[in-house]
Amino acid sequence: MEKKPHFVRREFPPREVSSVSVSLALLLAAVLLLNALLYLYLNKFYISSGRAETDPSLCPFGYFKLGSVRNCSPWLSCEAINREVRKLKCVGEGAVKKVFLSEWKENKVVLSQLTNSELKEDFLHGLKMLKALQSKHVVRLLGYCEQQFTILTEYHPLGSLRGLNETLHISKYKGMNTWHRRLMLAIDYVSIIRYLHSSPLGTLVMCDSNDLDKVLSQYLLTSDFHILVNDLDALPLVNRSAGRLVKCGHRELRGEFVAPEQRWPYGEEMPFEDDLMPPYDEKTDIWKIPDVSNFFLGHVEGSDIVRLHLFDIHAACKKKDPAERPSAQEVLDTYRKVLTLLIREAAMPSTREML
């Protein structure tokens, strides 16, 4: 008589089954907790770091808050600036204005004054932009005096982005020198470009950007490691419906940093003539994003991984045809996705170790 095969069902001892169940439960809980923390963190990041255009700490138009003061004060007038603001020392000078570290009611502030009367239109344009674009992306205006060509703004002790790498080597800030924090700065920068391209005034082009050093000088690093645009003297308006494009200045621009359409298109044999130079649009700002972001990312551990994830969007930014480049919003969306992905990937090894 043929014997039927006898299958033996293996049963785990109760203690082993219990151990596996507990481990699986811990893993599930850890993953859920990780996702919840990641969601809360990124939600807080996008709101608190200036992703939102509105800011509950901002005052109504024509007012400001400074330091720990809870109430909003009106922008200081000529009379108030002359009476209440005390210059301490000159901290910078450009083609348009001289900048003084100053004091107002025991608060350090920045006083900017026109130095070249031939450039007063640029100065007044910068003031107009500063007033109209007040937001979490722009340095805070405290007052102005058009008659004396004077502007008063909030003081940020870390200065312009030109000193970023030096700041990150100070012992107090070494903990900030990570791929994560550097990518967040790049996101801040692209957020500002996106804000300018969709501003309340229309599509604005950041024209003071002919080389990396010039770009970095236009932005401030705040004490909580975010970026504000500070210099708005050269922000022409693109209006496609009216057929209005822009040109950044009246001189020939050279070098790989500026976009191809900003360079003289008729060769060395034909001398540059401003009247013959074709105008262009805001996509010149997009061309420069990869170079500026490369500066932000630096050479810390993990920065090359970030660059790898940004390779495709940066390649698109460098398309010769401006129409083929992405919008600032598309670049910003990609940067945010990469940040989310890399934070999740960095956190997963810790979750596995819990097992």
Side-chain angles (χ1 to χ4, degrees), residues 229 261 282:
V229 62
E261 64 272 22
E282 78 280 3

Side-chain angles (χ1 to χ4, degrees), residues 94-293:
V96 178
K97 53 186 176 287
K98 186 177 286 189
V99 179
F100 297 89
L101 174 63
S102 305
E103 191 173 57
W104 176 73
K105 293 187 176 180
E106 300 183 351
N107 293 289
K108 284 187 170 61
V109 294
V110 173
L111 187 72
S112 301
Q113 293 184 317
L114 178 69
T115 54
N116 186 345
S117 60
E118 295 180 0
L119 298 174
K120 63 182 180 181
E121 293 304 319
D122 292 338
F123 185 90
L124 293 175
H125 177 74
L127 173 59
K128 177 185 175 182
M129 295 293 104
L130 194 55
K131 289 193 288 185
L133 298 176
Q134 284 294 290
S135 69
K136 290 197 73 172
H137 302 290
V138 179
V139 70
R140 191 168 302 173
L141 178 63
L142 309 180
Y144 62 92
C145 179
E146 287 193 35
Q147 298 94 312
Q148 298 172 9
F149 297 99
T150 299
I151 300 173
L152 193 70
T153 53
E154 189 174 16
Y155 172 63
H156 293 279
L158 295 182
S160 80
L161 287 176
R162 286 189 293 191
L164 174 64
N165 288 324
E166 289 75 12
T167 297
L168 289 171
H169 283 96
I170 298 173
S171 56
K172 179 181 178 181
Y173 299 110
K174 281 185 177 179
M176 298 286 194
N177 197 18
T178 63
W179 70 263
H180 167 248
R181 179 61 65 172
R182 283 176 171 271
L183 178 55
M184 287 170 67
L185 290 175
I187 289 175
D188 271 2
Y189 169 72
V190 178
S191 296
I192 292 171
I193 298 299
R194 194 263 305 157
Y195 174 65
L196 295 177
H197 288 184
S198 57
S199 83
L201 301 176
T203 301
L204 299 169
V205 181
M206 193 64 169
C207 266
D208 264 345
S209 56
N210 297 335
D211 57 63
L212 179 61
D213 192 64
K214 187 63 175 175
V215 170
L216 299 176
S217 71
Q218 309 302 303
Y219 298 87
L220 295 172
L221 181 65
T222 67
S223 297
D224 60 348
F225 266 70
H226 290 294
I227 297 175
L228 298 172
V229 62
N230 180 52
D231 196 329
L232 304 173
D233 294 345
L235 276 183
L237 179 69
V238 169
N239 188 338
R240 285 191 185 82
S241 60
R244 184 194 302 166
L245 299 177
V246 304
K247 288 192 287 186
C248 291
H250 304 288
R251 292 179 294 180
E252 183 178 1
L253 301 178
R254 296 175 178 268
E256 293 299 315
F257 188 83
V258 296
E261 64 272 22
Q262 291 184 281
R263 302 172 211 153
W264 179 242
Y266 302 117
E268 294 289 340
E269 61 279 1
M270 185 173 179
F272 176 82
E273 287 187 43
D274 183 42
D275 291 341
L276 299 179
M277 180 67 199
Y280 33 83
D281 62 17
E282 78 280 3
K283 290 298 183 75
T284 58
D285 289 333
I286 305 300
W287 170 273
K288 298 160 189 173
I289 286 176
D291 299 294
V292 180
S293 289

